[in-house]
């Protein structure tokens, strides 16, 4: 289709009047029924965050990274005051604060965290790949061994909400991979005397992590990537912050942008920015469940994306009516309304499930729920998603806390080429080549021939010289 923008029908209003006592907001609607769109056209048609928002974030983040690299702890202190309202000499959390947070943890919360840890550890242990040692010929062995990175920096958000669950999601696969040094950062909280959220600290203590920093946003990512020598600290006798090899963890658009900008200096898991949920549903879906799940992710952030892809206009209308009812009663109503009203959220109407699958693969959601007839078979046709939740009783919230899966997942369409956080994020595949003289002699002629064909005769000479 030469001009898809003119063919796609887009509206932005709940189609029926909201009953008294319900929320009033817009939830966009895009109609793709009857259109045969290419992948590029589908990508343009699905709801997304405005591009100018991403550009603005990048400009700001570049400045923060440069400041942290130049001024170290002094820059971190000023940024903590600016963004968090916290006076800070050094971001390292004292060991006593970690111990106290765990000692004071609500027993019910501790039990929930311990169950989440148990399931996450079981799944992480099963993920570790096996080493390969292949005798490719007599006297010739080629191997691939998985080796953990030396040191990782794990980021746990803490702006609009606290995320002890993200401590588990970051730490458990790193430990399962065998990482020797694990450092964790989470934003300082003014109400906690400049410490990160106390439940976040308790979760770190539960997992045996004692290197924790009260750092938030892009500045935390910069500090992990480049490290900070002790002499740049404004505090007396303050220790350095050693650079890491890999940075992981979810966060807002500024965290995601910072991770993208330091990629190459360090490894990253993925650009996990503002959260996304897409729900692929047909006429069999329960609109009450669907609305609740859309709201569950919208409460993270005003920039969160909640997208319904459906074959049923009746379901779309029912979900929109249910949104109006449930949003009015939710705790973070203002935040949720902002997210659901944004250009990144809305309903996409499709002709059939096959077109819905194509839309979902083009969108490449962080979280994708499939609630259709034969949901497992439909889910098997999804190739691009961070995590896929199948059926009425596998909501995204389950994956956020206690499924055993990981909730640190790629956003903004990067699930088309990135994976969610897992044990291999913290491993490197190192190849080993072990040939004896006889084994080398059997292929020496081929090496000489190929090196000459490539115009690199010294490569062949390095083999031939061993047999002169």
């Amino acid at each position: 289709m030469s001009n898809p923008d003119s063919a796609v029908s887009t509206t932005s209003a709940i189609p029926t009047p909201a009953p008294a006592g319900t929320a009033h907001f817009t939830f966009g609607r895009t109609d793709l029924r009857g259109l045969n769109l290419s992948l590029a056209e589908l990508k343009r048609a699905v709801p997304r965050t405005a591009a100018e928002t991403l550009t603005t974030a990048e400009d700001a983040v570049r400045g923060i990274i440069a400041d942290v690299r130049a001024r170290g702890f002094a820059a971190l202190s000023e940024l903590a005051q600016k963004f968090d309202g916290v006076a800070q000499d050094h971001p390292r959390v004292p060991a006593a604060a970690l111990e106290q947070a765990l000692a004071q943890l609500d027993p019910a919360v501790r039990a929930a965290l311990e169950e989440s840890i148990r399931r996450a550890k079981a799944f992480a242990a099963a993920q570790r790949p096996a080493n390969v040692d292949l005798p490719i010929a007599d006297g010739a062995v080629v191997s691939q061994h998985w080796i953990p990175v030396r040191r990782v920096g794990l980021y746990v958000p803490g702006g609009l909400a606290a995320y002890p669950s993200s401590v588990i999601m970051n730490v458990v696969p790193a430990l399962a991979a065998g990482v020797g040094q694990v450092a964790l950062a989470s934003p300082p909280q003014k109400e906690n005397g400049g410490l990160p959220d106390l439940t976040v600290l308790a979760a770190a203590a539960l997992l045996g992590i004692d290197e924790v920093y009260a750092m938030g946003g892009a500045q935390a990512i910069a500090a992990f990537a480049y490290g900070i020598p002790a002499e740049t600290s404004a505090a007396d006798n303050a220790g350095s912050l050693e650079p890491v090899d890999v940075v992981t963890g979810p966060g807002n658009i500024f965290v995601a942008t910072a991770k993208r900008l330091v990629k190459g200096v360090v490894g990253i898991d993925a650009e996990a920015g503002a959260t996304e949920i897409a729900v692929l549903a047909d006429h069999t879906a329960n609109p009450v469940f669907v609305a609740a799940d859309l709201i569950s992710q919208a409460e993270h952030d005003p920039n969160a994306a909640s997208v319904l892809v459906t074959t049923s206009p009746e379901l779309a209308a029912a979900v929109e009516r249910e949104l109006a009812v449930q949003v009015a009663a939710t705790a973070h109503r203002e935040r949720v309304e902002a997210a659901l009203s944004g250009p990144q959220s809305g309903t996409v109407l499709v002709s059939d499930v096959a077109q819905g699958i194509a839309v979902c693969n083009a969108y490449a959601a962080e979280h994708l729920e499939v609630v259709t007839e034969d949901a497992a078979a439909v889910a098997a046709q999804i190739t691009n998603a961070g995590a896929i939740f199948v059926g009425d009783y596998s909501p995204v919230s389950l994956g956020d806390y206690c499924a055993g899966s990981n909730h640190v997942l790629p956003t903004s369409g990067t699930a088309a080429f990135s994976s969610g956080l897992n044990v291999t994020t913290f491993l490197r595949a190192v190849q080993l080549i072990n040939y004896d003289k006889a084994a080398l002699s059997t292929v020496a002629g081929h090496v000489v021939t190929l090196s000459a064909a490539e115009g690199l005769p010294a490569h062949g000479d390095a083999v031939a010289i061993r047999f002169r």
Side-chain angles (χ1 to χ4, degrees), residues 200-265:
V200 165
L201 298 184
L206 266 178
L207 288 160
I209 305 303
D210 58 10
E211 187 181 350
V212 180
Y213 297 92
M215 302 186 300
Q219 58 269 32
I221 306 304
F224 277 151
Y226 293 101
I228 300 178
E231 60 266 25
T232 67
S233 173
D236 294 333
N237 302 316
S240 64
L241 197 167
E242 188 179 356
V244 303
D245 301 309
V246 172
V247 173
T248 72
N252 61 19
I253 191 171
F254 296 98
V255 171
T257 301
K259 287 168 69 177
R260 182 173 70 251
L261 293 177
V262 302
K263 184 179 180 180
V265 177

Side-chain angles (χ1 to χ4, degrees), residues 98 116-117 120-121 124-125 127 152-156 163-186 199-212 224 247-250 269 405-408 421-423 425-426:
L98 293 166
S116 179
I117 290 169
K121 282 184 174 180
Q127 291 172 13
V152 300
L154 311 179
Y155 184 76
V156 176
Y163 295 96
S165 58
S166 288
V167 178
I168 298 168
M169 302 298 170
N170 277 273
V171 170
V172 167
L175 295 180
V179 174
Q181 296 182 30
V182 176
L184 189 144
S186 192
T199 312
V200 165
L201 298 184
L206 266 178
L207 288 160
I209 305 303
D210 58 10
E211 187 181 350
V212 180
F224 277 151
V247 173
T248 72
D269 51 342
S405 58
N406 203 292
H407 77 204
V408 182
L421 190 65
N422 63 84
V423 170
T425 305
F426 304 101

Side-chain angles (χ1 to χ4, degrees), residues 7-401:
V8 174
S9 172
T10 302
T11 60
S12 59
I14 294 177
T16 57
T22 59
H24 298 266
F25 61 93
T26 59
F27 191 64
R29 183 180 285 196
T30 301
D31 193 346
L32 303 183
R33 291 174 296 175
L35 301 180
N36 184 18
L37 302 181
S38 69
L39 176 60
E41 290 167 341
L42 285 174
K43 286 185 174 183
R44 288 196 294 270
V46 296
R48 287 289 186 204
T49 300
E52 58 268 21
T53 303
L54 302 176
T55 303
T56 301
E58 183 166 326
D59 292 342
V61 169
R62 286 188 186 277
I64 290 171
I65 292 173
D67 193 24
V68 171
R69 291 188 69 184
R71 299 193 301 119
F73 289 120
L76 289 180
S77 178
E78 290 180 15
L79 291 166
Q81 182 69 61
K82 177 180 179 180
F83 293 122
D84 306 300
V86 168
Q88 184 182 85
D89 289 327
H90 194 279
R92 181 75 182 256
V93 174
L98 293 166
E99 295 167 3
Q100 184 177 12
L102 182 56
Q104 295 177 349
L105 184 63
D106 182 297
V109 175
R110 178 167 184 157
L113 289 173
E114 288 174 340
E115 180 61 18
S116 179
I117 290 169
R118 185 188 71 78
R119 292 180 182 232
K121 282 184 174 180
F123 190 44
Q127 291 172 13
R128 180 159 183 143
N131 291 339
V132 174
D133 296 291
L134 177 67
I136 205 162
D138 289 343
V141 179
V142 181
S143 304
Q144 178 171 277
H145 290 181
W146 292 92
I147 300 175
V149 298
R150 181 187 61 88
R151 176 172 167 80
V152 300
L154 311 179
Y155 184 76
V156 176
L160 295 175
Y163 295 96
S165 58
S166 288
V167 178
I168 298 168
M169 302 298 170
N170 277 273
V171 170
V172 167
L175 295 180
V179 174
Q181 296 182 30
V182 176
L184 189 144
S186 192
Q189 307 287 328
K190 187 175 182 179
E191 60 271 25
N192 292 332
L195 294 173
D197 175 80
L198 296 182
T199 312
V200 165
L201 298 184
L206 266 178
L207 288 160
I209 305 303
D210 58 10
E211 187 181 350
V212 180
Y213 297 92
M215 302 186 300
Q219 58 269 32
I221 306 304
F224 277 151
Y226 293 101
I228 300 178
E231 60 266 25
T232 67
S233 173
D236 294 333
N237 302 316
S240 64
L241 197 167
E242 188 179 356
V244 303
D245 301 309
V246 172
V247 173
T248 72
N252 61 19
I253 191 171
F254 296 98
V255 171
T257 301
K259 287 168 69 177
R260 182 173 70 251
L261 293 177
V262 302
K263 184 179 180 180
V265 177
V266 292
I268 66 170
D269 51 342
E271 296 176 28
T275 192
E276 302 165 348
I277 179 175
V279 180
L280 175 57
D282 63 12
H283 66 283
T284 66
N286 185 325
V288 176
F289 294 175
V290 172
D293 293 348
L294 295 173
I295 292 169
S296 74
Q297 298 308 297
E299 77 171 341
H300 277 285
D301 189 312
N303 293 314
S306 296
V307 177
L308 169 62
V309 181
T310 183
T311 59
S312 171
E314 295 77 18
L315 176 73
V319 168
E320 289 164 347
R321 288 192 297 270
E322 190 61 36
L323 283 173
V325 173
Q326 293 189 33
V327 169
T330 198
H332 302 293
R333 174 174 176 170
E334 184 176 345
R335 190 187 309 165
V336 170
E337 288 180 344
L340 295 179
S341 300
Q344 73 276 14
S345 298
T347 297
V348 179
L349 291 174
V350 293
S351 301
D352 51 31
V353 171
Q355 188 185 29
I357 291 169
V359 168
C360 290
N361 282 330
Y363 184 65
E366 178 190 18
H367 310 97
L368 174 64
E369 291 185 3
V370 178
V371 281
T372 63
E373 288 183 312
D374 203 359
V378 173
Q381 299 176 66
I382 300 296
T383 55
N384 296 340
I388 304 169
F389 299 80
V390 184
D392 282 336
Y393 296 97
S394 302
V396 168
S397 296
L398 173 65
D400 282 341
Y401 297 110

Side-chain angles (χ1 to χ4, degrees), residues 435-437 440-441 444 458-468:
Y435 274 53
D436 62 20
K437 185 175 183 179
L440 177 60
S441 69
H459 282 64
D461 292 345
V463 170
I465 199 170
R466 286 166 162 76
F467 298 99
R468 289 175 187 162

